[in-house]
Amino acid sequence: MPQNEYIERHRKLHGRRLDAEERARKKAAREGHKNSENAQNLRGLRAKLYAKQRHAQKIQMRKAIKQHEERNVKGRPAEKEPSDPIPSYLLDRANPTTAKALSSQIKNKRAEKAARFSVPIPKVRGISEEEMFKVVKTGKKTHKKGWKRIVTKPTFVGPDFTRRPVKYERFIRPMGLRYKKANVTHPTLNVTVQLPILSVKKNPSNPLYTQLGVLTKGTIIEVNVSDLGIVTASGKIAWGRYAQITNNPENDGCVNAVLLV
């Protein structure tokens, strides 16, 4: 078994750190400073290898920028039926619009990617920790009385969830505020069905709320759409799809969401 599968299995069993997303964001923000420091301080063979690597990256970047910026292509388009036969090695010269088509293809892909990650509710109200958590007094000693927090918003936990030992439990998610299903509306078909929730993908208020599975307005959840019969591009039946919560579950007593298609 490869080493990376051990890491994935450990993450599935025990989860990740509560600040994993924040640490990844900070690491990505430090990349520029780290590259600058390496370029200034490396010496000898390491400096040559690093310079070669950066040179190759910049070439690829300039090529991509040139493809994006290419607007007008000089030359006439190829004829549909040439009068004289053309050798195979000259066929490419008769098609000068390749660069423009390539840049248009890249722009279309970027537009599709942006549309894929657009959500029905782009902005939501942030929820503070004072509103989300309530202090629970526990323990006999004075310094241990107020270290636990109880979640006051609806949450989702997996089917194989087991609580940690009471001595080590930091956050308490009440049984009465746990949801397993959501009323999901398909925007194209205009139908609403009740689908089981698979996981909580992202809560925009705080990465900690994502880790705890808190369901608030604007949260991206993954639902089981196998009953809808949605088919992927390869012809297989889709199992999980993302949806965004559009209501306040703590006020309505149910989870309403819109499928992201």
Side-chain angles (χ1 to χ4, degrees):
M1 182 183 290
Q3 182 65 28
N4 62 338
E5 294 189 9
Y6 285 105
I7 297 174
E8 292 177 359
R9 181 174 180 273
H10 185 273
R11 284 177 181 171
K12 288 180 180 178
L13 291 176
H14 307 288
R16 304 181 69 179
R17 293 172 57 117
L18 296 178
D19 58 345
E21 289 82 3
E22 187 70 13
R23 286 164 63 92
R25 184 190 64 80
K26 289 183 178 179
K27 185 177 180 181
R30 288 195 300 265
E31 284 295 326
H33 302 282
K34 188 177 180 182
N35 292 336
S36 176
E37 183 181 356
N38 290 338
Q40 296 177 30
N41 298 329
L42 287 179
R43 296 290 183 270
L45 182 61
R46 289 186 177 180
K48 291 182 179 179
L49 294 174
Y50 184 75
K52 185 178 180 181
Q53 178 187 359
R54 291 289 295 164
H55 181 63
Q57 291 176 358
K58 288 180 181 178
I59 288 176
Q60 295 297 328
M61 191 185 305
R62 285 171 185 159
K63 283 184 179 180
I65 292 173
K66 189 176 180 181
Q67 289 173 350
H68 287 308
E69 292 178 349
E70 185 120 19
R71 302 276 186 199
N72 300 320
V73 181
K74 296 181 180 179
R76 59 184 181 80
E79 297 179 0
K80 294 183 179 179
E81 294 181 0
S83 56
D84 300 327
I86 301 176
S88 60
Y89 58 87
L90 292 178
L91 288 175
D92 292 339
R93 296 187 183 181
N95 190 12
T97 58
T98 307
K100 188 171 183 181
L102 183 62
S103 63
S104 301
Q105 184 181 5
I106 293 173
K107 290 175 185 176
N108 292 337
K109 282 187 177 180
R110 292 178 64 187
E112 288 176 4
K113 188 175 182 181
R116 185 185 306 169
F117 291 101
S118 62
V119 291
I121 305 177
K123 294 183 180 180
V124 292
R125 181 183 68 88
I127 300 176
S128 63
E129 294 191 0
E130 288 78 9
E131 183 182 355
M132 177 66 65
F133 302 120
K134 180 182 176 183
V135 180
V136 178
K137 299 287 185 179
T138 179
K140 294 182 179 179
K141 296 183 180 179
T142 308
H143 66 278
K144 287 187 176 181
K145 277 192 174 180
W147 74 294
K148 287 192 178 185
R149 298 290 183 271
I150 185 169
V151 182
T152 59
K153 303 289 183 181
T155 56
F156 167 78
V157 296
D160 54 348
F161 169 76
T162 55
R163 289 180 61 180
R164 298 187 67 183
V166 179
K167 199 172 183 180
Y168 304 104
E169 193 174 29
R170 177 77 168 84
F171 298 100
I172 302 172
R173 288 169 279 190
M175 289 285 293
L177 291 175
R178 295 182 190 176
Y179 288 91
K180 295 182 179 179
K181 293 187 178 182
N183 302 319
V184 182
T185 302
H186 197 291
T188 307
L189 302 177
N190 292 329
V191 294
T192 302
V193 289
Q194 194 175 58
L195 301 176
I197 302 174
L198 296 177
S199 64
V200 176
K201 177 65 177 175
K202 184 172 181 61
N203 191 311
S205 299
N206 197 329
L208 175 61
Y209 303 163
T210 306
Q211 183 76 14
L212 293 173
V214 179
L215 303 175
T216 56
K217 186 174 183 178
T219 303
I220 306 297
I221 59 175
E222 187 177 9
V223 293
N224 187 354
V225 295
S226 57
D227 295 339
L228 294 179
I230 299 177
V231 182
T232 60
S234 60
K236 298 181 179 178
I237 296 178
W239 185 58
R241 280 285 186 271
Y242 293 140
Q244 187 182 31
I245 297 177
T246 56
N247 70 324
N248 294 312
E250 66 271 13
N251 296 339
D252 300 339
C254 64
V255 179
N256 299 333
V258 174
L259 199 66
L260 304 181
V261 293

